[in-house]
Amino acid sequence: MIEAIVTTFPMFACLFWCCFFLMGYSGCDSGKRLFFFFMLTATFLYLGHCCYFNKEYSLIPLTDTVYSFANLAVFPIFFLYIKWVTTNASISPRNWWVLLPAACVSISIGVTYAYMTKDESDYFAGNYFYSGSYDMKTTGIWLQTRLHQLAAIVFSAELTLVLYFGERHISRFNKSVNDYYSDTENKTFTRMRNLLIYFVIISCLSFVVNLLGKSYFINHGTLLAPLSLLFGTFLFLIGYEGHKRTFTAKEMTSDTEACSEFGQSPDPQKEHTSDYFRDLSIRLVSILREEQLFLLPDLKISDLTSRLQTNRNYLYQAINVQMGTSFSELINRLRIEYAQELMKEDRSLSVTEVCIRSGYLSESSFYRNFKQVSGVSPKKWHQSL
């Protein structure tokens, strides 16, 4: 009973989020729908694990075929989700070509099972899955063994590509958010990067499982329980992060398109020169300090273009290249300096009051940025005065 609960835990963690997303499917955007298909694929993936570890021998030809597809499809679907939420790219039917390796390998495995006799299927399952041996006494068993080895190679290749390109998409989006908004709370894909880290851990564990062979965990039952609980926990966290995600590239595009691009074109004789960008960075900091614009909670870089008679691209370059920082980091540094001055001038102010007066909408964002700038929490800094 306990073994059945442990081995089915990852499947039920995925199934929970499948049901959750399915209840609101009609009102979901494309990103949430992609995430539903990701969790659905993961559910079938761990259903295959359940059947294997609970020794449902008669179901192996069917479940192994489904498992093979799900195992090779789950990473590509996850990548499509990352691509949609970070680039606002529409997911057209041609994007689903990434499932072609999964379809080809799983169909080949299914057809080979159909070609094999029941004795051959039982012999293959008993030796390859449960004993970890590679006795290829017939053509069908030889072909099935090679197809499973090919699936392992495709799996490792997909894992590498998804992690590499997924991280690139997330990094680019985070940079765009940091360069445009002063308040990046719930906008950057920090949680998404954490989600990717969870996936890396799961992927590495899955890869180890594939290298050792599932038979290793049948013979070492003490390793199965913690791994299954760990997989299930990570999968539940992935589902939670996907559910909490609301801000995407679509919302950012709407914000940038709604704002005026610039008030007046820069002098063409000065633009692109280091003197121009140095002067622009000085004027930027000056106007931020003099008018205390950094205290506006929803300040965006586009709010400053008309005041400085320039455009966003030039401001980006002045901040990123000339000053070596991002717009959000610049604003947060000014806010934290202001917060420190407030605490010095009036030590009776609570941290919450300082947070609000410094332009922050949430204390969590204030605490995080204060510690990042000063190296200590607001309370410790306040107590040290």
Side-chain angles (χ1 to χ4, degrees):
M1 179 65 178
I2 295 177
E3 183 179 354
I5 293 173
V6 168
T7 54
T8 57
F9 179 59
M11 182 189 71
F12 282 114
C14 297
L15 186 60
F16 170 83
W17 288 113
C18 279
C19 295
F20 183 88
F21 287 116
L22 186 61
M23 287 188 293
Y25 188 83
S26 60
C28 289
D29 58 27
S30 298
K32 285 289 195 294
R33 291 180 181 183
L34 275 171
F35 204 83
F36 163 74
F37 283 114
F38 162 70
M39 296 306 296
L40 181 63
T41 304
T43 300
F44 281 109
L45 171 65
Y46 287 98
L47 174 62
H49 277 285
C50 292
C51 292
Y52 170 78
F53 287 114
N54 287 286
K55 300 180 180 180
E56 299 290 344
Y57 302 107
S58 61
L59 296 176
I60 282 183
L62 174 61
T63 57
D64 187 36
T65 302
V66 174
Y67 169 84
S68 298
F69 176 80
N71 191 44
L72 298 181
V74 69
F75 286 104
I77 294 175
F78 185 68
F79 175 73
L80 288 179
Y81 170 73
I82 291 178
K83 182 179 178 181
W84 186 88
V85 294
T86 57
T87 65
N88 198 26
S90 59
I91 304 300
S92 61
R94 66 180 181 179
N95 292 116
W96 293 96
W97 69 266
V98 294
L99 299 183
L100 189 60
C104 290
V105 172
S106 61
I107 289 172
S108 298
I109 287 174
V111 169
T112 303
Y113 270 124
Y115 164 79
M116 296 166 68
T117 65
K118 185 178 184 303
D119 288 340
E120 285 180 314
S121 296
D122 292 342
Y123 186 86
F124 170 76
N127 282 272
Y128 186 83
F129 289 129
Y130 292 99
S131 300
S133 62
Y134 299 90
D135 183 5
M136 294 175 275
K137 56 189 295 186
T138 67
T139 303
I141 294 174
W142 177 88
L143 181 58
Q144 196 67 276
T145 302
R146 295 300 181 223
L147 285 171
H148 280 75
Q149 290 171 342
L150 174 63
I153 295 171
V154 174
F155 174 84
S156 60
E158 286 183 346
L159 169 61
T160 303
L161 291 172
V162 168
L163 293 179
Y164 175 73
F165 288 105
E167 172 63 20
R168 285 185 62 183
H169 277 298
I170 292 172
S171 296
R172 278 199 291 257
F173 184 79
N174 281 348
K175 184 179 185 306
S176 297
V177 171
N178 283 314
D179 284 341
Y180 187 76
Y181 297 96
S182 61
D183 180 16
T184 61
E185 185 80 3
N186 296 323
K187 291 186 178 72
T188 61
F189 273 40
T190 303
R191 285 199 181 105
M192 183 64 73
R193 178 173 273 113
N194 293 339
L195 191 155
L196 193 60
I197 291 172
Y198 300 153
F199 221 18
V200 168
I201 296 171
I202 288 179
S203 303
C204 290
L205 290 173
S206 297
F207 191 66
V208 170
V209 169
N210 285 341
L211 286 177
L212 293 175
K214 297 185 184 70
S215 59
Y216 181 85
F217 293 91
I218 286 287
N219 299 325
H220 298 77
T222 54
L223 294 176
L224 181 59
L227 274 177
S228 183
L229 292 173
L230 194 59
F231 273 56
T233 302
F234 281 142
L235 287 163
F236 187 85
L237 290 174
I238 287 173
Y240 178 75
E241 296 292 355
H243 162 60
K244 294 292 289 183
R245 169 54 46 194
T246 56
F247 186 85
T248 67
K250 182 178 180 179
E251 282 70 35
M252 184 172 180
T253 301
S254 298
D255 285 347
T256 55
E257 289 179 349
C259 296
S260 173
E261 179 59 28
F262 56 84
Q264 179 179 324
S265 297
D267 184 344
Q269 294 182 346
K270 291 184 177 180
E271 63 184 43
H272 305 304
T273 66
S274 59
D275 289 341
Y276 172 78
F277 290 114
R278 183 165 54 249
D279 176 67
L280 181 57
S281 63
I282 292 172
R283 289 192 292 123
L284 170 63
V285 174
S286 177
I287 195 173
L288 287 170
R289 289 186 183 278
E290 289 174 4
E291 300 184 26
Q292 293 190 330
L293 297 175
F294 59 86
L295 297 180
L296 297 173
D298 59 347
L299 182 69
K300 298 182 282 289
I301 200 169
S302 56
D303 298 331
L304 301 170
T305 54
S306 60
R307 289 173 177 268
L308 294 167
Q309 302 298 301
T310 187
N311 60 40
R312 289 204 307 268
N313 290 332
Y314 291 140
L315 270 181
Y316 289 152
Q317 190 158 347
I319 296 171
N320 295 343
V321 179
Q322 191 67 37
M323 302 176 71
T325 187
S326 67
F327 180 65
S328 64
E329 289 172 346
L330 171 63
I331 299 302
N332 281 306
R333 188 167 65 246
L334 294 174
R335 286 175 177 172
I336 299 307
E337 289 175 2
Y338 183 80
Q340 291 172 341
E341 290 299 320
L342 284 177
M343 286 189 277
K344 286 179 182 178
E345 293 172 2
D346 187 353
R347 297 183 63 181
S348 66
L349 288 174
S350 67
V351 173
T352 301
E353 289 175 309
V354 174
C355 166
I356 295 172
R357 291 192 189 185
S358 301
Y360 288 98
L361 296 174
S362 71
E363 286 193 41
S364 61
S365 180
F366 175 63
Y367 269 78
R368 185 180 64 255
N369 284 290
F370 195 102
K371 189 169 185 179
Q372 186 175 354
V373 172
S374 63
V376 294
S377 68
K379 286 186 177 179
K380 286 186 178 180
W381 196 90
H382 190 252
Q383 291 169 355
S384 68
L385 294 176

